[in-house]
Amino acid sequence: FSAWCGLVPKQHSSGGKSCLKGITKNGNKQLRTLILHGARAVVRYADKRQDKMGMWLRELIARRGKVKAVVALANKLCRIGWHLLSSGEQFNVNKAFA
């Protein structure tokens, strides 16, 4: 689902060497935009969250910066959403960001 939304890196590989670039921009542009806006809203208040998602986001922002953290969170939220829809499980933030 993340790949269909265009939230995975472009891959330029040749000769066994893998080179990953920015997001692919494939798929539905409007859906990708909405998911990124939602991720931006969550990252904005990451410092106030005291759960596993907040800790994960703060560590990611410190390592990679806010822009990459927004795209990484959007990708992760897409994958979580797809898993919840396909399996019928209930969302558990501690399991999702373990």
Side-chain angles (χ1 to χ4, degrees), residues 55-97:
M55 291 188 307
W56 181 80
L57 275 171
R58 284 190 296 277
E59 290 172 5
L60 187 62
I61 291 169
R63 273 194 331 262
R64 299 291 182 188
K66 275 194 175 182
V67 175
K68 288 185 180 180
V70 167
V71 176
L73 178 63
N75 184 355
K76 191 167 186 85
L77 291 175
C78 278
R79 290 183 287 125
I80 290 170
W82 178 257
H83 176 75
L84 293 175
L85 288 173
S86 63
S87 69
E89 291 182 27
Q90 294 290 324
F91 177 70
N92 181 357
V93 70
N94 294 323
K95 183 179 174 186
F97 290 89

Side-chain angles (χ1 to χ4, degrees), residues 40-51 53-58 61 66:
R40 242 180 244 115
V42 172
V43 167
R44 184 176 177 188
Y45 295 102
D47 56 341
K48 296 179 183 176
R49 294 185 67 104
Q50 298 303 321
D51 56 358
M53 184 163 96
M55 291 188 307
W56 181 80
L57 275 171
R58 284 190 296 277
I61 291 169
K66 275 194 175 182

